[in-house]
Amino acid sequence: MPKQTANAELFSQDALYQKKKSVLLRTAAECFNTLGFKGTSLKYLAQQLNLTDAALYYYVSSKDELVFLCYEKAFELGERTLERAIRDGANGREIIKLFIEYGIEVMVGEEGPVAVISEIPSLSAKYRDGLMDRAARHTGRVTEQIRKGVADGSIAPCNAVLVCEVILGSLDWLPKWYRPEAGYDVEEVKRAYTQTILLGLDAKS
Amino acid sequence: MPKQTANAELFSQDALYQKKKSVLLRTAAECFNTLGFKGTSLKYLAQQLNLTDAALYYYVSSKDELVFLCYEKAFELGERTLERAIRDGANGREIIKLFIEYGIEVMVGEEGPVAVISEIPSLSAKYRDGLMDRAARHTGRVTEQIRKGVADGSIAPCNAVLVCEVILGSLDWLPKWYRPEAGYDVEEVKRAYTQTILLGLDAKS
């Protein structure tokens, strides 16, 4: 659960609006992931941040907007992660490996947690439609990298569209079970994902 | 989207309560997966089933109960799938392979769709606590089969707890993107999952 005292300190200082908003969105993401969509109220979030309800409305005007902002941030991080992986990876396989590793680092690191994107269809049209398109574009770009890997010979021939869903499903679900307090070693989490997805579980004989 | 005419026919006949309830839960799962948790109302569900609001309350007393019943059914199917895989699989690797294949068959087949279990924490305590325990037990049993595979030499040494989350994440997310009308071949979906998770994406040299 969010640390109320640390948040209180930050909000009582004259810190930047963006920094405050960032803490707000991370705290909101944590609430959504652990308490559920319905279980998270703006009132509860304000309490966690040591803000009055009125002060919280300075940052977000509704729960709908809050969910939208959390998802927007999740997409931003996902897109940035993919760009980094494309820049750093020498072939398709390596790009996918780095995409998984960077993605996990971001989700469990300073910029996380990231909200599990389960409620786009519930949002009002002005928020929903853009996010739907963005999700489809992101999936398309990851799929393209898998295809690239098949073409350059680093990834075994496969149905890139479906394999992309397998990978994104496993990654997107991480914030639902990962808890910092459980003391998982981040390197071990990265290894579990890349081992499973790149090498497979089969004992190689 | 659910087929209103087919549902109308079923509900106007003197079909069994359980059969009606089963259609109700499958329709509800489809609504939750495509319209979101907040986006699904009992009123909308009643319309989809060609039922009056009052008639729907004969089957479920609240949205909370509806979500609970959908999740309960998802767990039942998941547990049954695992039991079948354990019965049919000769070693750990084969059990995991069958668990994935049977799971996909159930989710995209006659008994599906299955609701994506994203909102357990939102439920009232009487529903929530039992489902939390059930989720933990199911995860524990799948983990046990991975460990069994490592022990019998059919699965490569790995962190079974984390690998289990990778597998369950990818599987549990399937109802969120899979659409029957997209015309995916079920065998190809199964192959994409088992290829990725058992063999890995690496081009074997």
Side-chain angles (χ1 to χ4, degrees):
Chain A
M1 280 289 88
K3 288 170 233 76
Q4 215 169 1
T5 19
N7 289 332
E9 195 186 316
L10 181 63
F11 276 89
S12 66
Q13 290 172 357
D14 188 24
L16 286 168
Y17 174 87
Q18 284 307 331
K19 183 156 187 181
K20 288 184 182 176
K21 195 153 183 177
S22 165
V23 171
L24 189 155
L25 292 182
R26 271 153 45 208
T27 309
E30 190 175 347
C31 288
F32 285 129
N33 294 343
T34 55
L35 304 174
F37 177 83
K38 187 187 149 212
T40 301
S41 65
L42 290 187
K43 199 172 212 36
Y44 179 81
L45 179 62
Q47 283 168 6
Q48 294 301 310
L49 294 164
N50 208 26
L51 280 173
T52 62
D53 295 3
L56 180 61
Y57 279 98
Y58 178 63
Y59 299 95
V60 282
S61 61
S62 65
K63 188 165 157 183
D64 232 34
E65 194 195 353
L66 177 66
V67 174
F68 168 73
L69 291 172
C70 283
Y71 288 0
E72 202 184 35
K73 195 190 141 193
F75 279 117
E76 264 166 37
L77 293 176
E79 287 157 5
R80 214 200 298 155
T81 294
L82 181 61
E83 278 158 30
R84 255 186 84 197
I86 291 173
R87 200 189 55 214
D88 297 349
N91 57 30
R93 176 213 185 267
E94 225 179 283
I95 290 168
I96 294 299
K97 180 169 188 272
L98 291 173
F99 172 66
I100 294 169
E101 291 177 343
Y102 294 162
I104 293 170
E105 279 165 20
V106 162
M107 285 190 280
V108 309
E110 282 299 299
E111 296 191 272
V114 164
V116 175
I117 302 180
S118 58
E119 282 292 321
I120 294 181
S122 282
L123 296 174
S124 56
K126 70 168 172 169
Y127 295 134
R128 186 186 57 218
D129 299 345
L131 289 182
M132 293 280 229
D133 292 347
R134 199 163 175 176
R137 276 200 305 277
H138 184 61
T139 304
R141 279 194 214 110
V142 176
T143 303
E144 203 184 304
Q145 298 307 315
I146 299 171
R147 281 210 186 94
K148 191 178 151 181
V150 175
D152 70 27
S154 60
I155 290 179
C158 64
N159 184 322
V161 172
L162 297 175
V163 165
C164 179
E165 297 290 359
V166 179
I167 297 174
L168 291 181
S170 68
L171 273 181
D172 292 351
W173 200 244
L174 183 140
K176 210 63 189 165
W177 63 265
Y178 181 87
R179 295 288 168 268
E181 63 271 22
Y184 295 115
D185 178 77
V186 179
E187 292 306 313
E188 209 167 333
V189 175
K190 284 156 64 179
R191 195 158 44 236
Y193 274 79
T194 54
Q195 182 187 358
T196 308
I197 292 167
L198 294 170
L199 301 178
L201 296 187
D202 252 9
K204 307 296 176 288
S205 53
Chain B
M1 282 291 87
K3 288 170 231 77
Q4 216 170 359
T5 19
N7 290 333
E9 195 186 316
L10 180 63
F11 277 90
S12 65
Q13 289 172 358
D14 187 26
L16 286 167
Y17 174 86
Q18 284 307 330
K19 184 156 187 180
K20 289 184 181 175
K21 195 154 184 176
S22 166
V23 171
L24 189 154
L25 293 183
R26 270 151 46 208
T27 309
E30 192 175 345
C31 289
F32 286 128
N33 294 343
T34 55
L35 305 173
F37 178 82
K38 187 186 147 211
T40 301
S41 65
L42 289 187
K43 198 173 211 39
Y44 178 82
L45 179 62
Q47 282 167 8
Q48 294 301 310
L49 294 164
N50 207 28
L51 279 175
T52 61
D53 295 4
L56 180 61
Y57 279 97
Y58 177 64
Y59 299 96
V60 282
S61 61
S62 65
K63 189 165 159 184
D64 230 35
E65 194 194 354
L66 178 65
V67 175
F68 168 73
L69 291 172
C70 284
Y71 289 0
E72 201 184 35
K73 195 189 141 194
F75 279 117
E76 263 166 38
L77 293 175
E79 287 157 5
R80 215 202 296 156
T81 295
L82 181 61
E83 276 159 33
R84 254 186 85 198
I86 291 173
R87 200 189 55 212
D88 297 350
N91 56 31
R93 176 213 185 267
E94 225 179 281
I95 290 168
I96 293 300
K97 180 169 187 274
L98 292 173
F99 172 65
I100 294 169
E101 291 178 342
Y102 293 163
I104 292 169
E105 279 166 21
V106 162
M107 285 190 279
V108 309
E110 282 298 300
E111 296 191 272
V114 165
V116 175
I117 303 180
S118 58
E119 282 291 321
I120 294 181
S122 283
L123 297 174
S124 55
K126 69 169 173 169
Y127 295 134
R128 187 186 57 218
D129 298 345
L131 288 182
M132 293 281 228
D133 291 347
R134 201 162 173 176
R137 274 199 306 276
H138 185 60
T139 304
R141 279 194 212 109
V142 176
T143 303
E144 201 183 304
Q145 298 307 316
I146 299 171
R147 281 210 186 96
K148 190 178 149 181
V150 175
D152 69 28
S154 60
I155 290 179
C158 64
N159 184 323
V161 172
L162 297 175
V163 165
C164 178
E165 297 290 358
V166 178
I167 298 174
L168 291 181
S170 67
L171 273 181
D172 292 352
W173 200 244
L174 184 141
K176 208 67 188 165
W177 63 265
Y178 181 87
R179 295 287 168 270
E181 62 272 22
Y184 297 113
D185 179 77
V186 178
E187 293 305 313
E188 209 166 333
V189 174
K190 283 156 64 178
R191 197 160 39 238
Y193 274 79
T194 53
Q195 183 187 356
T196 308
I197 292 167
L198 293 170
L199 301 178
L201 297 186
D202 253 10
K204 306 296 177 288
S205 51

